[in-house]
Amino acid sequence: VQLQASGGGLVQAGDSLRLSCAASGRIFSSSVIGWFRQAPGKERGFVAAIRWGVGRMTYADFVKDRFTISRDKAKNTVYLQMNSLKPEDTAVYYCARGPDMSSSSMQYDYWGQGTQVTVSS
């Protein structure tokens, strides 16, 4: 499977963005699609994940009801709706496929190319 992330951009604090992760190829029901982010000089960190089949979701604590992950099976796409964006959300956002609902990037094997999100204050 190949993943392509898109939807990033430059926004102001308090604005919203919706990121998309389009997959080519079949995604098995047991697979998990996760979003991670990496700010300059920092390690790549977990944001959210969703199990493709049943739609079960999990989030990093910092999300605090601001972000919502969802998937559209017909479009083979996973979305990350980000509301009330803060300057500290500035990072490159990556989507990835993994076998389990893990927050560890090491558990994910296929990665998209990343999309830049910049939030100005």
Side-chain angles (χ1 to χ4, degrees):
V1 64
Q2 291 183 324
L3 303 174
Q4 184 169 1
S6 62
L10 172 62
V11 297
Q12 294 185 332
D15 285 350
S16 299
L17 274 178
R18 188 178 77 161
L19 306 182
S20 298
C21 177
S24 60
R26 180 181 177 183
I27 303 176
F28 292 97
S29 294
S30 60
S31 292
V32 170
I33 303 295
W35 283 99
F36 291 78
R37 69 184 189 183
Q38 187 167 20
K42 295 187 176 181
E43 293 186 353
R44 192 170 297 186
F46 174 74
V47 178
I50 187 167
R51 191 173 295 278
W52 186 255
V54 298
R56 179 189 168 200
M57 302 164 283
T58 187
Y59 296 93
D61 289 341
F62 72 84
V63 169
K64 297 294 184 185
D65 298 324
R66 296 188 300 126
F67 295 1
T68 302
I69 190 170
S70 62
R71 89 268 193 250
D72 185 330
K73 290 185 174 181
K75 295 183 178 180
N76 237 29
T77 299
V78 172
Y79 302 100
L80 184 68
Q81 177 67 43
M82 304 187 296
N83 300 326
S84 302
L85 283 163
K86 306 174 181 179
E88 51 264 44
D89 294 318
T90 295
V92 177
Y93 284 72
Y94 299 89
C95 61
R97 192 209 71 168
D100 207 352
M101 298 286 275
S102 173
S103 60
S104 170
S105 62
M106 296 182 64
Q107 300 300 317
Y108 292 77
D109 49 10
Y110 292 94
W111 289 80
Q113 83 287 4
T115 184
Q116 176 71 48
V117 172
T118 304
V119 185
S120 62
S121 57

